[in-house]
Amino acid sequence: MKYLHLRLNVILILFFSLFLFVACSSSTGPSDQGNNQNQTINEQGVDAELGDETEFIDDSTVEAAMTDADNENQTYTFNRSALADAGIELEVGEVLLISKVALGRITSVSEGNGEVVVETKFASLTEAFEEADIEWDQTFEFTDEVLENSVMVYKGKEYAPRKDDEACEGLQAGCIGWEFEVGEYTLKGRIVGQGSNAEVIVIMSKQVGNESVAFRAESTIQSIDNYTNIQIEDHETKQFEFGNPNMQGTAKLSLAAAGGGVGPDLSFGPHTMIRFPFTIGPLPVILAVKVRTVAKVEVVSNASATAEANFSYSGNAGITYDGKDLIPNKDQQIENPQITGGSGDLAAAIGLNVDVQWGFTAPELELQLFGNTLVPYLRPEFFIGANLKWGPVCQNVNLRYNVSSGLDLRFLGQNLAQLYETKVVEEKEWDYYSPEDCEGAHSKENQEEYLIFRN
């Protein structure tokens, strides 16, 4: 019996020794899975699991440890002891996700004077997250603060709108006005915010001696909404949706040119940009709303042209990427616009041609995430052109409407050689004045002469 009892004790001792060895090995042994294995983020709009290589610095640690953030150079400075208190050790090669601040792959880590300085380079959202479902549905309002922070963008530079009291005279708060010199043109405009709606007026004009050219656009923008959904599985983007539900508004375009000479295509001239910054969980997001113009003039002395038209539109404009293909307006087609008041009057001395074109887009939506542009534009486009040619004498007032979008999904892990572009609504064209003997003046063979929007 004593022998049996001793044998049982030995077996129990060996069993518990083996158990403790296995437990210690699994809990303290080396691991190549990173510090954030299976770490999740569950906040409003974000249900996600971090990748094994991702080091996440949450809001409380950002507040306690971060001392400087240089997003332009992708360099971030932390208090070393505060990082240690949070159990964070940053290493080269990790993906660094700093809540509401930045995302990048660490290229260097240096320590000194009680600080840790981290340099990073581009990292995609799919590198940071193994699984993610990110979604928001927002309505934006044109508040005084938002309007005051708007900028004029020209040739890649941003300018704060110079306050134009004359443009906003007699109007209450919620108005910005501006005036800029753009080459030969003077650009004036204003935006009046009315809650979720806005009224926009843009005027481009130039004076050449006693002759002048003026382009004018008046637009109402109703309810800027944005729906976005990003789905990531196994570090790959399975779906991306971006839309402007209930897009609706009006636009009135007019032009008047008496002489003015022959000018180069203005292409995309200056544009006004209104930024709506917000956060979804740890992700900083900016929805930018833009007003753009484009113009071309060929009206020499002894020639003139006037034209105008009204557009109204409504519908659901959006674009979906399903992991393979782009699908414009997956669920609903936007309504064709209603066009009224199309008219024009052109005159020129014998043998002189006239060609005046004016394009306008508002609202143009742009989406940025961590400073990376995913959607360069989703926009309705309005065009009016007046054209006179001889042999025989042909006069045309031509109107065009389109809704287009672009996608740049490099931030979502897609290696794109160039920007995806797609027509959300195929181009619609109307001739409001075209005599019978001028049929085909705006045929497909001549459409390359007609301005189109380019980002």
Side-chain angles (χ1 to χ4, degrees):
M1 291 293 291
K2 288 184 178 180
Y3 174 76
L4 179 59
H5 187 266
L6 179 61
R7 187 178 180 182
L8 288 174
N9 286 340
V10 171
I11 292 173
L12 289 173
I13 290 171
L14 289 173
F15 174 81
F16 281 112
S17 297
L18 180 61
F19 174 80
L20 290 173
F21 175 79
V22 172
C24 291
S25 298
S26 61
S27 61
T28 61
S31 170
D32 60 355
Q33 296 302 308
N35 296 327
N36 286 301
Q37 185 181 9
N38 298 324
Q39 183 173 344
T40 60
I41 297 176
N42 299 109
E43 300 184 32
Q44 184 173 0
V46 179
D47 184 5
E49 181 178 319
L50 297 175
D52 295 336
E53 297 180 329
T54 304
E55 187 72 68
F56 177 49
I57 300 182
D58 60 20
D59 292 334
S60 60
T61 307
V62 169
E63 184 177 355
M66 176 169 280
T67 59
D68 186 56
D70 183 353
N71 285 321
E72 183 176 352
N73 294 304
Q74 301 184 67
T75 303
Y76 308 95
T77 306
F78 302 91
N79 179 280
R80 183 169 57 187
S81 61
L83 280 185
D85 291 343
I88 295 175
E89 183 178 349
L90 302 176
E91 299 178 0
V92 172
E94 287 183 321
V95 176
L96 179 61
L97 172 59
I98 308 173
S99 181
K100 300 180 177 63
V101 178
L103 172 65
R105 188 173 289 276
I106 298 175
T107 57
S108 74
V109 179
S110 58
E111 298 185 14
N113 299 322
E115 292 185 328
V116 177
V117 179
V118 181
E119 295 181 353
T120 67
K121 64 179 182 179
F122 172 82
S124 67
L125 200 66
T126 51
E127 292 176 83
F129 292 105
E130 182 175 351
E131 310 284 336
D133 188 352
I134 302 166
E135 185 175 34
W136 65 82
D137 191 350
Q138 301 268 357
T139 297
F140 302 89
E141 294 196 353
F142 294 90
T143 63
D144 292 352
E145 180 181 4
V146 165
L147 292 176
E148 288 171 0
N149 290 326
S150 63
V151 294
M152 179 70 68
V153 182
Y154 183 51
K155 292 185 176 180
K157 295 184 178 181
E158 296 185 0
Y159 305 89
R162 294 192 295 270
K163 187 175 181 181
D164 187 343
D165 293 331
E166 183 180 348
C168 295
E169 186 177 0
L171 296 172
Q172 297 179 352
C175 174
I176 59 166
W178 63 86
E179 181 176 342
F180 281 91
E181 300 301 319
V182 183
E184 297 178 319
Y185 289 91
T186 297
L187 178 71
K188 295 183 178 181
R190 78 179 188 197
I191 298 177
V192 182
Q194 300 175 343
S196 59
N197 300 339
E199 293 183 354
V200 181
I201 296 177
V202 176
I203 301 171
M204 286 180 57
S205 61
K206 72 173 181 177
Q207 192 77 25
V208 182
N210 295 323
E211 300 173 325
S212 64
V213 176
F215 301 101
R216 182 183 178 96
E218 302 177 31
S219 177
T220 60
I221 301 171
Q222 301 177 31
S223 185
I224 295 294
D225 298 328
N226 175 232
Y227 171 77
T228 299
N229 177 248
I230 303 170
Q231 294 182 16
I232 297 171
E233 298 177 10
D234 297 325
H235 290 288
E236 293 185 0
T237 298
K238 295 301 181 182
Q239 183 164 293
F240 174 74
E241 291 183 77
F242 179 86
N244 183 2
N246 307 312
M247 185 178 76
Q248 57 184 319
T250 63
K252 179 180 180 180
L253 270 63
S254 62
L255 59 87
V262 178
D265 292 4
L266 189 58
S267 187
F268 268 119
H271 64 270
T272 303
M273 180 164 60
I274 304 169
R275 294 187 178 100
F276 295 94
F278 59 101
T279 57
I280 300 295
L283 313 180
V285 184
I286 291 178
L287 182 75
V289 178
K290 301 178 182 179
V291 176
R292 282 189 184 267
T293 57
V294 60
K296 177 182 178 180
V297 177
E298 183 182 337
V299 185
V300 297
S301 299
N302 299 318
S304 64
T306 62
E308 66 176 34
N310 301 298
F311 300 79
S312 61
Y313 60 96
S314 64
N316 177 22
I319 188 76
T320 297
Y321 174 72
D322 65 1
K324 294 181 180 180
D325 301 312
L326 293 178
I327 308 171
N329 270 2
K330 180 179 179 181
D331 299 319
Q332 179 182 347
Q333 289 293 325
I334 194 168
E335 297 293 331
N336 288 334
Q338 301 297 315
I339 300 180
T340 59
S343 63
D345 185 19
L346 296 92
I350 295 176
L352 296 179
N353 294 333
V354 175
D355 187 8
V356 187
Q357 299 173 31
W358 169 232
F360 173 79
T361 176
E364 175 179 322
L365 303 188
E366 175 185 310
L367 178 67
Q368 299 177 13
L369 198 60
F370 282 111
N372 296 276
T373 300
L374 278 73
V375 180
Y377 58 88
L378 172 64
R379 63 192 178 211
E381 303 169 354
F382 312 95
F383 302 87
I384 186 170
N387 178 277
L388 183 152
K389 290 185 178 181
W390 289 83
V393 178
C394 294
Q395 300 183 48
N396 294 274
V397 174
N398 188 269
L399 308 173
R400 214 163 81 236
Y401 172 82
N402 183 54
V403 179
S404 65
S405 69
L407 284 181
D408 187 341
L409 298 182
R410 283 172 291 186
F411 188 60
L412 296 183
Q414 301 300 316
N415 186 18
L416 304 182
Q418 61 183 3
L419 179 74
Y420 278 123
E421 294 186 67
T422 185
K423 296 290 179 66
V424 177
V425 174
E426 289 302 320
E427 190 172 281
K428 310 288 183 182
E429 188 170 357
W430 296 263
D431 276 318
Y432 260 81
Y433 176 76
S434 183
E436 291 182 4
D437 57 354
C438 293
E439 185 176 356
H442 278 285
S443 64
K444 289 185 178 180
E445 290 76 9
N446 295 322
Q447 279 188 2
E448 65 272 10
E449 299 178 6
Y450 211 74
L451 279 184
I452 57 175
F453 277 95
R454 289 287 183 239
N455 191 51

